[in-house]
Amino acid sequence: MTATLAINNRHQLSLDPLKMPERLLLGPGPSNADPAVLNAMTTRQVSHLDPEFLARMSEIQSLLRYVWQTENQLTIPISGTGSAAMEATLANSVEPGDRVLVGVNGYFGLRLVDMAGRYGAEVQTIQRPWGETFTLAEIRQGLEQHRPAILALVHAETSTGACQSLDGVGDLCREFDCLLLVDTVTSMGGVPLYIDDWGIDLAYSCSQKCLSCPPGISPFTMGPRAIEKLNRRSSQVANWYLDMSLVSKYWGNDRTYHHTAPISMTYALREGLRLIADEGLAARWKRHRDTAEYLWSGLTEIGLDCYVERQDRLPTLTTVRIPDGVDGKAVFLKLLNEDNIEIGNGLGDLTGRVWRIGLMGANSSRENVDRVLEALPRAIAAV
Ligand SMILES: *Cc1c(COP(=O)(O)O)cnc(C)c1O
C-alpha cells in the first residue's frame, strides 16, 4: 500500500519516492541533460570555498572562455537560470537614465525591454516581425537615431527560430560608442559564436539548452569596455545578488564569500562544458547544423513548412507552421502523452501558429529527428 501524508483533512500526499516519465525534450528548452552530466551531479559535495572546488571554478571559467571564444577575465556562471544572467548583464551595465536600444523580433527582446526599464533605462526599440532578423543597415539607422549607451540583441530567438547575424555589429557599436549586449542562450555551444571577434561586450546564456545540463546555472561574460562602464558608475548596482563588483571577488583572486555557489549545478556545468571541449567546438557546431538540415528536409518530405526563411534559420530551434485546421495544442499533448516526446507550442505572436522543435546539445542527433518525424505526422492524423 502507498504511504500517504495527511496535509489536512482534505488533502493527502503520496509518499512514494519520486518517479517521473522518461521524456525526450525536443522543445525550446530544457533539453535533456547528458547522462554524464546527471552522473556528475551525484558527486558528493565539497564546500564552495574548498581548494578543490576553487580549482574546478577556474576550469569552468577556462571552458566557458573556450565555448564562447573570448579572453574576457570576467567570464563566470551566475547562480540562477538564464534570466538571472540576462538580468546580471543589464543590472551591471545600465545606469538610471542610460538609453538602451533593444532589437525586438521575438519574445526575449521584449523581456530585455522589460528588464532594462526596471533598472531605470530609457528604452528604445527597433522592431521586425517575429521570425525575421535585422539588417546591418537597420541597426545602423537605429543607432544613428537613438544614440544609445547600450545596444541589446538576441542572437538566437528561441520564440521564433531566427538567428540574428552579428556580422559588423560590433564595429558599428564602436563607431557609435555604445556597448553591445547579446543574448546567446540558444546559440552558445550549438551555433558559431565568437564573443571577442564579433566585439560583444556583454553576453549571457543558460545551462539547459545547448550545454546539456539541467536549468539552474548560467554563463555570463563582461568585456573590458563594459567593466570600464561599471567602474565609472556613480550609482550602486541596484541588485545585490548580481552585482559584479561583489560577485567578482569570489570568482577573482580574492575568493571571498559572496553567496554559496550551487555546488551540484557547478559540477553539472563542469561536466557539460568538458563534453563540449571533448567533442570540439567546430565539430559540435557542425553536428547541430547537419542535424537541423536533416530535420528540415524531413519536414518537407512529410509536407510541413518551416516558419523562418532558410538563410535566417537557427540550427538549434526550428519553428514549424501548424497546418490549417490542425489543433496544435492537441498534437503537442498527443506527442507528450503517447510518445513521451515534448515539442514546444508557439509563444507570443506565434501562439497557435507554430510548433517549436529544439535540437540542442546531446539531443541534436539524427536518431531524435527520426523519432519526431515518425511521431509528428501520426499525431497530426489522429487529432
Ligand atoms: C530560455 C531563454 C532565456 C531565459 O532563460 P531561463 O533559463 O528560462 O531563465 C533567455 N533568452 C532566450 C533566447 C532563451 O531561449
Side-chain angles (χ1 to χ4, degrees):
M1 214 183 77
T2 303
T4 55
L5 173 72
I7 304 290
N8 53 37
N9 53 21
R10 275 171 298 127
H11 295 294
Q12 296 242 315
L13 185 72
S14 156
L15 292 183
D16 285 343
L18 180 70
K19 205 162 161 266
M20 298 298 288
E22 296 234 338
R23 308 283 200 215
L24 176 60
L25 301 179
L26 300 184
S31 66
N32 293 99
D34 193 291
V37 167
L38 294 176
N39 193 36
M41 293 180 76
T42 65
T43 306
R44 187 185 171 106
Q45 291 165 24
V46 298
S47 99
H48 60 291
L49 294 171
D50 190 297
E52 284 294 327
F53 190 75
L54 300 180
R56 301 292 88 70
M57 286 166 60
S58 298
E59 289 168 7
I60 286 175
Q61 290 187 276
S62 299
L63 287 163
L64 286 175
R65 291 188 192 108
Y66 166 69
V67 177
W68 250 335
Q69 296 288 290
T70 180
E71 288 178 14
N72 288 345
Q73 194 58 33
L74 190 48
T75 301
I76 64 170
I78 299 284
S79 312
T81 68
S83 301
M86 181 190 248
E87 188 139 0
T89 57
L90 292 164
N92 286 279
S93 61
V94 174
E95 278 202 88
D98 276 351
R99 192 169 298 162
V100 176
L101 180 64
V102 184
V104 178
N105 56 348
Y107 179 88
F108 291 100
L110 291 172
R111 183 172 294 184
L112 281 165
V113 168
D114 184 352
M115 278 190 191
R118 289 169 193 243
Y119 287 99
E122 186 217 308
V123 183
Q124 300 286 344
T125 61
I126 47 174
Q127 310 207 15
R128 292 294 305 176
W130 288 39
E132 297 182 14
T133 58
F134 298 94
T135 64
L136 197 58
E138 286 164 341
I139 294 170
R140 171 182 282 281
Q141 201 188 359
L143 292 173
E144 252 161 17
Q145 187 185 343
H146 298 292
R147 304 277 161 176
I150 301 165
L151 169 69
L153 294 173
V154 179
H155 184 213
E157 239 314 341
T158 324
S159 63
T160 68
C163 185
Q164 173 63 49
S165 166
L166 296 168
D167 203 13
V169 179
D171 288 342
L172 266 188
C173 286
R174 274 153 190 77
E175 187 185 327
F176 285 87
D177 195 25
C178 78
L179 296 179
L180 177 57
L181 187 162
V182 179
D183 180 320
T184 69
V185 170
T186 301
S187 56
M188 184 187 201
V191 180
L193 172 58
Y194 303 89
I195 294 286
D196 288 359
D197 286 356
W198 291 354
I200 297 170
D201 299 295
L202 290 141
Y204 56 90
S205 189
C206 76
S207 51
Q208 77 271 20
K209 296 187 185 172
C210 301
L211 306 186
S212 293
C213 298
I217 193 163
S218 301
F220 166 93
T221 191
M222 192 164 180
R225 295 167 82 233
I227 290 175
E228 214 176 281
K229 188 173 190 312
L230 173 65
N231 292 338
R232 274 202 319 265
R233 284 181 80 100
S234 51
S235 60
Q236 240 181 356
V237 170
N239 185 318
W240 181 89
Y241 195 68
L242 301 171
D243 181 348
M244 282 306 133
S245 54
L246 306 175
V247 176
S248 62
K249 293 199 170 70
Y250 175 55
W251 286 92
N253 296 329
D254 300 355
R255 302 296 199 186
T256 48
Y257 165 73
H258 175 258
H259 66 269
T260 308
I263 310 287
S264 303
M265 283 311 303
T266 307
Y267 292 170
L269 184 61
R270 162 69 168 66
E271 186 63 11
L273 294 170
R274 184 191 70 76
L275 291 170
I276 297 180
D278 190 46
E279 180 175 4
L281 203 48
R284 192 175 178 93
W285 290 339
K286 184 173 185 306
R287 173 164 62 82
H288 281 81
R289 180 90 218 166
D290 291 348
T291 310
E293 292 194 353
Y294 183 64
L295 171 69
W296 300 338
S297 55
L299 287 168
T300 306
E301 275 168 35
I302 59 173
L304 292 172
D305 296 325
C306 292
Y307 189 79
V308 174
E309 293 294 332
R310 196 176 179 97
Q311 77 274 2
D312 288 338
R313 259 180 233 165
L314 203 52
T316 49
L317 187 117
T318 299
T319 38
V320 182
R321 280 179 201 277
I322 299 172
D324 286 344
V326 172
D327 179 346
K329 205 134 195 199
V331 170
F332 160 83
L333 283 173
K334 215 162 183 60
L335 285 178
L336 190 69
N337 294 328
E338 291 176 18
D339 296 283
N340 266 329
I341 299 174
E342 185 195 75
I343 60 170
N345 285 303
L347 189 62
D349 284 9
L350 300 185
T351 302
R353 297 167 66 190
V354 300
W355 292 297
R356 291 182 293 160
I357 301 179
L359 295 166
M360 304 179 189
N363 276 355
S364 169
S365 70
R366 283 183 170 234
E367 185 194 350
N368 285 342
V369 172
D370 287 339
R371 265 187 77 179
V372 77
L373 287 176
E374 186 275 321
L376 187 56
R378 196 156 36 76
I380 292 171
V383 298

